[in-house]
Amino acid sequence: MTDIHISIKNKTYVTEDSRQHTAIANLSLSLPTNKFICLVGPSGCGKTTLLNIIANLDKKYQGEILLGQQQIQPKIGYIFQTPRLLPWRTVRENIELVLTEQQPPEIIDALLESMQLTDSQNAYPQHLSLGMSRRVAIIRAFAVNPHLLLMDEPFVSLDAPTARQVRNLLIHLWQLRPHTILFVTHDLREAIAMADRLVFLSAAPMSVISEIEVSIPRSKRNDETAVEAFRQQLLTNHPKIKSLL
Ligand code: ADP
Ligand code: MG
């Protein structure tokens, strides 16, 4: 695997009243292989815009995405805010759809097991809880074995206990199958509980304000006191960040 380097000089939208809106300016970010990076920034700052650029869904920008030294589009697994499962396919069929012919079907069994969905593999999406749909979406994204997993506030509509459960399952799967992850959230506690590194983003035009390593050991990430202490210290040491949240 190879590090991914993102450099966006400029991303401009034309608004409905024909004005130019600069969404991103001079943003540069490196994603080390198999690290879990959380992007934290205020609502509307341009996080989804950035993910769509990285995923090559939006080509109207100035800048480059490098896989190692080369300008090659990285293979992406994208988990959107809402799971986008096909309603007429079962859980298993929704996952099968993304596999290549070379991939053995047993990979699905292992992924279902790791996300505690083995018993629900023949269910249709309308019969799944919100948390279960998220878990299927996570499996689908991992199944393609991407260079980079993009996750755009995937747990925002879940209640707190379900969000915690799905977060833990995601981390469990990521530790079994290391991947580079770029996870967007505006919830600093969630970011601290999950990330190797936090990347703080400014309001529009969006750029990187600071990057901070999370030093809490993985074994203590479920300890709310440890997460809160880290958060308080971070806000005290970086007043600029406090003004963003
Ligand atoms: P975030 O995901 O951080 O909430 P977005 O990337 O969705 O932010 O949006 C960033 C800014 O770009 C916002 O001001 C939004 O209104 C604007 N924007 C997003 N998509 C479009 C679009 N298709 N056309 C015009 N403006 C857009
Ligand atoms: Mg967004």
Side-chain angles (χ1 to χ4, degrees), residues 170-241:
L170 168 62
I171 295 293
H172 167 69
L173 180 56
W174 171 65
Q175 287 174 326
L176 287 175
R177 296 171 183 270
H179 277 79
T180 311
I181 296 186
L182 192 56
F183 185 105
V184 166
T185 180
H186 57 258
D187 178 346
L188 183 51
R189 287 187 187 87
E190 173 170 78
I192 295 168
M194 304 192 89
D196 292 313
R197 180 186 297 170
L198 308 171
V199 176
F200 290 94
L201 301 164
S202 69
M206 187 175 85
S207 63
V208 174
I209 290 187
S210 54
E211 301 195 38
I212 292 165
E213 304 291 316
V214 181
S215 53
I216 308 172
R218 285 275 158 204
S219 59
K220 287 207 176 151
R221 297 297 184 102
N222 266 324
D223 175 348
E224 283 174 24
T225 319
V227 168
E228 185 55 23
F230 189 91
R231 191 180 79 96
Q232 289 298 340
Q233 194 186 18
L234 193 152
L235 294 177
T236 308
N237 294 343
H238 301 271
K240 242 201 246 173
I241 290 169

Side-chain angles (χ1 to χ4, degrees), residues 43-44 46-49 81 152-153 184:
S43 185
K47 303 181 294 296
T48 299
T49 300
Q81 228 163 56
D152 194 359
E153 309 205 48
V184 166

